[in-house]
Structure formats: structure tokens, C-alpha cells
Amino acid sequence: MTKSLMKYLYFMASIFSVMSKVLELGTEFGDANDLNDPHLVMFYAPWCGHCKALYPVWNELGNKLSRQTVTVARIDATIYRNAAEKFNVRGFPSLRLIAKDRMLEFVGERTVEALFEFAIKGSRPLLQSIGSLGKLNDIKRSDDVIYLALNISEEMRQCLLLLAPSIVHETILAEVRTCCYIFNDIFKLFLTNMSPKNFCDIQDPMGLLVILY
């Protein structure tokens, strides 16, 4: 990348930052438990060329996510080194989705579309509760891996909650209890009339865990 192009990108980033919804973090950032909403954070260094090239994308992403529950932010990791160390930052830019119950690293293509999808999926509930056939059908249409827990034991449920924070951005975890009126319908839909997805099932002392992939 030529110096003239780098200067242009930096200049455009400065213009976009005026209109951006990106939050600049500082000393107040260091504990995920203090966050009310999930934060998609760019850890950057002012001298990093890749960071500067990402600024326009990050600003556009901030505007696109401004009506969602995810806050787009950035932090200078060369100044706030404690925050960078806490979230295991080893290079620049490092992109993390951080919330009270999860920390996910983005490793895909750095486009607005890919980052938006990562933020939306990564901020969804760790274990969704299905209470209607409509919600079941929404989940069934997803291209993600689906873990569907049918009346599982509390031990199995806790195992899923331990697993969920690291895979929630690419996996849907959902549960239904026998007290739900659609319990029998779910068995019919997922066990006798499966979708084209591949699947396996894990027997649980009190129920069943169906995995569609």
C-alpha cells in the first residue's frame, strides 16, 4: 500500500469518525461485567496500517449497528495496555465481541456484512427458550448448527451453558421443557420428519439433545 493511499484512508477515516456511532474507550474499559450491552471492540495501534485501512469499515459498521443492542467501539491498545492484556490481544487490529458472559474473537473477512453478521449472531442469547412453533420454524431455517435440547436434565443444561459462550456466533442453542404445550409437536418435527440437515442425537437421563449440522 502506497503512502499516498494510506494518507487518503486516514483522511477519510477522520471525516467518517465525525458522523460515526463508534465509541472511543479509555480507562473505564477493563471489566466485561461493567458492560450493559455487548461491545464489538477494535483494539488498534495508531501506527498500524491495517487498523487505518479498517477505520472506514468500522465507522460504517457503527452506524449500521446503532439500532441494535451491540455497541461498536475501539480502544488504543498502545495506551490502555492493561485492557489489551486482559483480552489477550496479540496483534493489530484485534476484533473482540465482549459481554458479561462471553468473549469472542472475529477472524473472518473484515467487511461490514461479515462483521454485522458476527455481531448479531454473537450477541444472541446463549440458550434460547422455544415457546412457539413460529420460533421453532425461524430456528429451523437457520444455516447454523442447531443444538435442540428436549427436556434435558439440569446437568446437561449446565454443560450447554458452559459450551455456549465460545460457539454462540455459529451455533444456535435452544431448549424446550415438557411443560411447554408444543413439546410433542417438536418431537414430530425433528424426530419423524427431519429437515435435509444432518443430525445426531445424544440420550440424556431425562430427555434428548438433538444436534443438526
Side-chain angles (χ1 to χ4, degrees):
M1 186 176 293
T2 64
K3 290 184 178 180
S4 59
L5 179 57
M6 289 295 297
K7 289 180 179 179
Y8 171 76
L9 290 173
Y10 186 76
F11 173 72
M12 292 303 297
S14 300
I15 293 176
F16 281 121
S17 64
V18 176
M19 303 178 290
S20 174
K21 302 291 185 180
V22 175
L23 176 66
E24 189 75 33
L25 299 172
T27 54
E28 77 285 354
F29 180 68
D31 190 346
N33 290 321
D34 295 333
L35 301 178
N36 293 322
D37 299 315
H39 280 47
L40 184 58
V41 183
M42 179 207 301
F43 292 84
Y44 71 94
W47 45 260
C48 170
H50 292 296
C51 299
K52 294 175 182 178
L54 188 59
Y55 289 164
V57 171
W58 208 247
N59 287 321
E60 184 179 345
L61 181 67
N63 291 326
K64 189 171 182 178
L65 282 169
S66 62
R67 295 186 179 181
Q68 306 294 329
T69 58
V70 181
T71 298
V72 179
R74 67 179 197 168
I75 185 168
D76 187 340
T78 64
I79 296 177
Y80 304 104
R81 296 182 179 179
N82 288 339
E85 291 176 1
K86 179 165 185 168
F87 295 109
N88 198 32
V89 172
R90 294 290 181 267
F92 304 115
S94 287
L95 312 179
R96 303 280 194 276
L97 182 69
I98 301 168
K100 293 180 180 180
D101 55 3
R102 72 199 74 181
M103 197 282 286
L104 299 167
E105 180 179 7
F106 180 80
V107 293
E109 186 178 0
R110 296 168 186 165
T111 64
V112 173
E113 293 74 19
L115 287 161
F116 181 86
E117 181 180 14
F118 173 77
I120 295 299
K121 289 185 175 182
S123 60
R124 60 192 171 193
L126 295 181
L127 187 58
Q128 302 181 41
S129 178
I130 297 179
S132 70
L133 288 175
K135 186 166 184 178
L136 172 63
N137 288 327
D138 288 342
I139 289 176
K140 190 178 179 183
R141 284 191 290 267
S142 172
D143 291 330
D144 293 330
V145 174
I146 301 172
Y147 283 59
L148 182 65
L150 303 170
N151 197 36
I152 57 173
S153 64
E154 185 60 27
E155 182 179 3
M156 177 73 84
R157 188 175 190 274
Q158 292 304 315
C159 288
L160 285 179
L161 287 172
L162 287 174
L163 176 67
S166 62
I167 63 173
V168 67
H169 61 298
E170 57 189 6
T171 304
I172 294 176
L173 293 94
E175 67 171 342
V176 182
R177 306 271 181 162
T178 50
C179 60
C180 177
Y181 73 93
I182 65 167
F183 185 78
N184 290 332
D185 291 328
I186 287 185
F187 264 104
K188 292 177 184 178
L189 285 169
F190 281 86
L191 302 183
T192 64
N193 187 24
M194 296 300 299
S195 71
K197 287 174 176 280
N198 296 317
F199 76 99
C200 65
D201 58 81
I202 301 172
Q203 297 292 331
D204 185 60
M206 296 178 61
L208 184 69
L209 176 63
V210 178
I211 305 175
L212 297 100
Y213 56 94

